Amino acid sequence: MKPLLVCALFAIGCAGAPSGGTCSDAIGFPSTTDCETCLAASCTMEVSTCYGDGWQSSHLAGACATYTACLCKCAVRDSSCAVSCAPDSSNACLTCQDTLAACVDSHCQSPCSPTMLFDGGTTSNPDM
């Protein structure tokens, strides 16, 4: 089961900005060179649909923009905050995350072992 879907089951609420914010690891995969290279080569359409074309620079948008805007406001490893962001996830976000996960499983499983949902933490959010 996808971490975001698990969070959706236990969520309480969180406000988010449409830009998606800016933070690292909020897409659920590590911000390593090997993972980013594999995602760019094998899963570009999938990751861009979910997180926008700026995903490599950690500027997030796409179908999951509202969710990631909330997540980017959370402190590093604040699982309660991350869980509270789940209601900001749309069906389009959940669907594209499933498609992205299938692509990662097929092409990037080794370099992109998923991180915990709340590993990214806050770096900045231009809409705050």
Side-chain angles (χ1 to χ4, degrees), residues 91-113:
N91 286 336
C93 178
L94 294 171
T95 299
C96 78
Q97 283 194 329
D98 287 342
T99 303
L100 175 58
C103 184
V104 169
D105 284 346
S106 296
H107 304 288
C108 301
Q109 192 171 30
S110 178
C112 294
S113 296

Side-chain angles (χ1 to χ4, degrees), residues 29-102:
F29 299 103
S31 294
T32 63
T33 302
D34 290 345
C35 180
E36 288 180 0
T37 299
C38 189
L39 288 173
S42 301
C43 301
T44 300
M45 183 179 72
E46 293 86 349
V47 73
S48 293
T49 298
C50 290
Y51 302 107
D53 293 333
W55 68 271
Q56 285 181 292
S57 62
S58 296
H59 183 73
L60 307 171
C64 296
T66 303
Y67 170 71
T68 57
C70 180
L71 190 62
C72 287
K73 293 177 186 176
C74 297
V76 174
R77 300 216 182 268
D78 184 348
S79 60
S80 295
C81 181
V83 166
S84 73
C85 292
D88 289 329
S89 182
S90 64
N91 286 336
C93 178
L94 294 171
T95 299
C96 78
Q97 283 194 329
D98 287 342
T99 303
L100 175 58

